Amino acid sequence: MRIGIITDSACDLPNDFIDREQIVILPVTIQIGQAILADTRNEEATMSFLTGETAERAFEAETTPYTVQQVHDLFLGKLVHDYDYVFCITTTRTRSGIHDNAVQASYTILNDYKPVRAASGNTTPFALRVIDSQNVFAAVGVLVVEAARMRAAGETPPKIRAHLESLASNIQGYMVPPDLHYLRNRIKKRGDKSVSFFSAALGTALDIKPILHCNKGDTGPVAKVKGFNAATEKMFDFACKQVRAGLLTPTMSLSYGGDLNDMRKLPGYDRLRATCTEHNVEVFESFMGLSGLVNVGKGAIVLAFAAEPRKFE
């Protein structure tokens, strides 16, 4: 059986992995003022877009996920020909409309695919499953990597589906944002009041950085640390502890809103890489996509893995 994997462009994974595993990307369209760009995970295009006035107004960005009709057309135009079963793994439905759009589209796709496949001489059934990753950015990538790993191992779609749906609730995503003012302005634009002006102003004045945690679609702070580098090091060291305690998949996913060489110079990074190597955990590093950058700001770092919930300390 030919199994396909599709995800949205807010999922952070290395481009070479996406190309090698033939992961199909659902672009998210970003509009800042009159400037518009479809996020197709092109680093050069992203950085060119986020310059000058566009960069200054990035927190005002309007993001538009693939519509129900666009998802429907992509499947009927390509995926029902290329695959027999497709897993569509999306950013958490609490932060993006792409999951609900994909679910709605799935009903009409399953009703309409037979004549399309028959026209190309294929009369076998087609099936798809939309899976809510319950997470964001690099954390979505953990689930996509696991889907690709199981596909390569020859597992059946029912087994892959059951595993991914169970695993999603144990994906742990952590982030350190560098600019609380930017984050506060962005979430205010989205109607979220979780970072108050006072907290943003105080944090900026004292250089206090929160470490945010996302799991099961919910996001909140688990620690506050003075200085971006110190906060990042604390997050890396916590991840080392989780690797030593045992992960549910052999995957560590990192994304960074800037040059990856700068990320690799951060304190604690070398320890994390060494710990992952020691425990046979593969590390995936990627440039943060445009969807992530406009939501959390340049320079943000995200780390994710699959593990049982453990207190951050």
Side-chain angles (χ1 to χ4, degrees):
M1 178 173 284
R2 300 170 302 168
I3 299 174
I5 302 170
I6 184 169
T7 189
D8 57 89
S9 59
C11 168
D12 289 331
L13 279 171
N15 286 337
D16 60 351
F17 174 86
I18 291 172
D19 294 341
R20 183 177 69 250
E21 298 296 336
Q22 298 183 310
I23 309 297
V24 178
I25 298 295
L26 294 172
V28 175
T29 300
I30 311 296
Q31 180 169 355
I32 304 174
Q34 299 301 310
I36 301 175
L37 182 68
D39 181 14
T40 57
R41 302 206 51 78
N42 182 302
E43 180 176 346
E44 184 176 347
T46 294
M47 295 311 292
S48 296
F49 185 72
L50 289 179
T51 57
E53 183 182 357
T54 304
E56 293 174 2
R57 299 176 57 191
F59 69 88
E60 299 177 358
E62 299 288 346
T63 60
T64 306
Y66 248 35
T67 65
V68 173
Q69 189 62 48
Q70 285 174 313
V71 176
H72 173 275
D73 293 347
L74 174 63
F75 271 83
L76 270 294
K78 175 178 173 58
L79 298 179
V80 300
H81 296 285
D82 295 346
Y83 302 106
D84 304 309
Y85 198 112
V86 172
F87 289 98
C88 180
I89 301 170
T90 71
T91 294
T92 177
R93 62 185 302 180
T94 62
R95 295 288 175 179
S96 170
I98 188 61
H99 177 270
D100 290 346
N101 288 355
V103 169
Q104 289 184 51
S106 69
Y107 304 136
T108 56
I109 292 165
L110 294 177
N111 284 333
D112 298 343
Y113 81 82
K114 289 183 179 179
V116 177
R117 277 168 73 91
S120 58
N122 191 341
T123 58
T124 59
F126 172 82
L128 70 99
R129 184 67 178 181
V130 181
I131 296 177
D132 181 359
S133 72
Q134 303 179 45
N135 227 298
V136 294
F137 312 141
V140 183
V142 174
L143 213 57
V144 173
V145 168
E146 187 65 6
R149 187 190 68 80
M150 295 188 73
R151 177 179 64 181
E155 301 290 0
T156 64
K159 187 171 182 178
I160 297 174
R161 169 185 167 180
H163 179 62
L164 295 181
E165 290 180 338
S166 173
L167 188 64
S169 63
N170 284 309
I171 302 295
Q172 315 295 337
Y174 293 88
M175 179 181 74
V176 179
D179 187 340
L180 288 185
H181 268 305
Y182 181 94
L183 187 62
R184 184 255 180 189
N185 287 334
R186 179 59 186 165
I187 64 177
K188 182 180 178 182
K189 169 73 176 177
R190 292 171 59 93
D192 185 341
K193 299 180 180 179
S194 59
V195 178
S196 70
F197 174 77
F198 177 77
S199 294
L202 181 63
T204 300
L206 300 178
D207 196 27
I208 302 299
K209 307 300 182 187
I211 300 175
L212 304 176
H213 174 234
C214 184
N215 173 250
K216 298 181 181 179
D218 294 327
T219 303
V222 291
K224 295 180 181 180
V225 182
K226 184 175 178 60
F228 178 80
N229 283 5
T232 301
E233 184 173 22
K234 188 175 183 68
M235 180 177 71
F236 284 158
D237 286 344
F238 174 75
C240 287
K241 293 178 184 177
Q242 305 317 297
V243 171
R244 289 191 288 267
L247 303 183
L248 297 176
T249 72
T251 304
M252 181 68 63
S253 182
L254 295 166
S255 65
Y256 182 66
D259 189 327
L260 291 181
N261 287 325
D262 292 336
M263 178 190 74
R264 293 165 185 148
K265 296 174 184 175
L266 290 169
Y269 169 85
D270 289 340
R271 289 197 298 276
L272 176 61
R273 288 298 306 234
T275 302
C276 287
T277 298
E278 180 183 351
H279 291 81
N280 297 314
V281 172
E282 187 172 6
V283 179
F284 294 81
E285 300 178 354
S286 62
F287 175 78
M288 184 177 286
L290 180 58
S291 303
L293 282 171
V294 299
N295 276 300
V296 299
K298 287 184 178 181
I301 184 166
V302 177
L303 174 153
F305 49 83
E308 297 289 343
R310 298 184 181 107
K311 183 179 179 181
F312 188 94
E313 55 185 13

